[in-house]
Amino acid sequence: MAKGKDVRVRVILECASCVRNGINKELPGISRYITQKSRHNTPNRLELRKFCRYCRTHTIHGEIKK
């Protein structure tokens, strides 16, 4: 039987440079990706280099709260 919380959780990654430039979060224009991570292997926040179509370059995308 399952114990407590799930090991793999769904996380949202958001472009860090778009947020820093002051683009409103409610409007489209911030690159976001949805992925999964393991709570046991990566307990801290996840950061990956992904392509941002608004910045048109590879930038760091950090995990945000849902």
Side-chain angles (χ1 to χ4, degrees), residues 3-66:
K3 291 184 180 179
K5 298 181 180 180
D6 294 332
V7 175
R8 298 200 67 82
V9 292
R10 193 177 85 182
V11 295
I12 301 172
L13 302 175
E14 184 177 84
C15 179
S17 63
C18 286
V19 174
R20 251 187 263 125
N21 290 339
I23 297 173
N24 189 359
K25 287 190 175 188
E26 301 302 322
L27 298 175
I30 293 180
S31 176
R32 290 191 173 145
Y33 287 93
I34 297 175
T35 188
Q36 292 182 344
K37 76 169 189 175
S38 171
R39 286 188 186 189
H40 295 301
N41 296 336
T42 53
N44 50 357
R45 289 191 180 263
L46 188 64
E47 286 188 345
L48 296 174
R49 279 182 52 97
K50 305 286 269 181
F51 182 77
C52 177
R53 60 184 176 172
Y54 303 105
C55 299
R56 294 189 178 132
T57 183
H58 283 82
T59 59
I60 294 181
H61 284 66
E63 182 180 338
I64 62 169
K65 291 184 180 178
K66 294 180 191 176

